[in-house]
Amino acid sequence: MFKIGLDLGYGYTKGVNESGKTVLFPSLVGNAYQRNLIGLFGQNLNNLIENMHVVLRNGKEEQEEYFIGDLARREGRNVSYAFDENKINHPNTKAVLASASALLFPSNDEPVHIVSGLPLEQYIHQKDELREMLKNFKAIVEFKGYNILKIVRFDKVTVFPQAAGAVYYAIMDDLQKYLIKGSYIGLIDIGYRTTDYIVFVVDGKLSLREDLSGTLDIGMSQLSNAA
């Protein structure tokens, strides 16, 4: 089963697949329109990530068109982030999910296992809702102008606390350096809208200290707004 990992962040969408391909773009979505003068003034049309005009179909006749990421920031109309605390069923979330997944999917029809996460506090209350959304998600995704069409659906879903995933990633290259019995491992994960803090105690394995872990409703967006 082909594995992809997606972080549907408030500020940026990040992803990687088991072949090592990565995607990174702002989690911005805007209404699409026909760009009749595209390419006239030397835009770099070879870079799909910078020119994501996405058409989403749900298997019926209805379709929706969006500018995603850098194109939304540069040329979009009514551009917005999915900034709600519960963003799971927000249209913007589904648009960036479909776009990033289509870029990471295998070239064949191999089944796909998606791993995604939530900030710690949201994971406690919303993990089941996210899991169900991903299990039931299906979209036909077209990147307009690039002759790319993908059917996005997931055969297996794993939802994980984002900060815990960051801890595992940080220590996996040198486990013995960190797995000292009786010691503590802590991590602060500063995101665009929220900041996670998480602590594990080492007692033969990593055991979460839930009383020392949580989520603050503050992140890098406050710095952007202050500037």
Side-chain angles (χ1 to χ4, degrees):
M1 191 171 290
F2 192 85
K3 301 178 185 66
I4 69 170
L6 274 184
D7 177 0
L8 303 170
Y10 287 102
Y12 284 84
T13 295
K14 292 83 70 179
V16 63
N17 67 19
E18 67 174 49
S19 299
K21 182 178 181 180
T22 61
V23 296
L24 170 66
F25 56 85
S27 299
L28 281 169
V29 179
N31 294 339
Y33 56 88
Q34 183 63 38
R35 294 186 294 159
N36 295 312
L37 301 178
I38 184 171
L40 182 61
F41 296 101
Q43 293 102 320
N44 179 13
L45 303 182
N46 294 323
N47 190 331
L48 171 58
I49 291 290
E50 293 182 1
N51 294 280
M52 285 196 289
H53 181 168
V54 175
V55 181
L56 299 183
R57 301 182 181 89
N58 60 9
K60 303 177 183 178
E61 292 186 0
E62 301 102 346
Q63 69 178 42
E64 299 169 334
E65 295 192 34
Y66 300 101
F67 289 171
I68 306 289
D70 291 308
L71 180 59
R73 174 181 286 165
R74 194 172 66 242
E75 302 183 42
R77 297 170 178 168
N78 300 318
V79 177
S80 64
Y81 293 98
F83 223 56
D84 300 343
E85 183 173 347
N86 188 338
K87 62 176 184 176
I88 292 169
N89 291 302
H90 195 289
N92 287 11
T93 299
K94 294 186 176 183
V96 297
L97 166 65
S99 304
S101 298
L103 293 171
L104 295 171
F105 262 42
S107 57
N108 54 25
D109 293 328
E110 188 176 354
V112 173
H113 176 192
I114 184 173
V115 180
S116 191
L118 289 165
L120 198 59
E121 192 66 29
Q122 294 174 21
Y123 175 82
I124 294 170
H125 302 290
Q126 299 173 21
K127 63 180 183 297
D128 293 335
E129 185 178 1
L130 177 60
R131 186 181 296 111
E132 285 304 305
M133 186 274 279
L134 293 173
K135 283 172 60 177
N136 296 319
F137 187 83
K138 181 177 180 180
I140 302 169
V141 185
E142 176 190 354
F143 292 96
K144 202 164 185 177
Y146 288 88
N147 194 31
I148 297 175
L149 187 72
K150 289 281 187 179
I151 298 175
V152 172
R153 61 174 176 262
F154 308 110
D155 299 275
K156 183 178 179 181
V157 174
T158 299
V159 179
F160 204 69
Q162 290 173 353
V167 169
Y168 280 103
Y169 176 79
I171 69 174
M172 284 304 292
D173 285 343
D174 193 354
L175 282 174
Q176 297 308 311
K177 177 181 177 181
Y178 296 99
L179 297 186
I180 302 170
K181 188 173 178 61
S183 65
Y184 290 79
I185 296 174
L187 180 136
I188 298 173
D189 182 10
I190 303 173
Y192 192 69
R193 185 185 184 278
T194 61
T195 296
D196 274 354
Y197 55 97
I198 192 166
V199 176
F200 290 92
V201 62
V202 180
D203 57 0
K205 61 182 185 303
L206 293 183
S207 298
L208 176 66
R209 282 290 303 267
E210 193 167 343
D211 58 320
L212 299 178
S213 306
T215 300
L216 300 175
D217 193 19
I218 187 170
M220 296 301 295
S221 61
Q222 277 79 4
L223 291 178
S224 299
N225 293 337

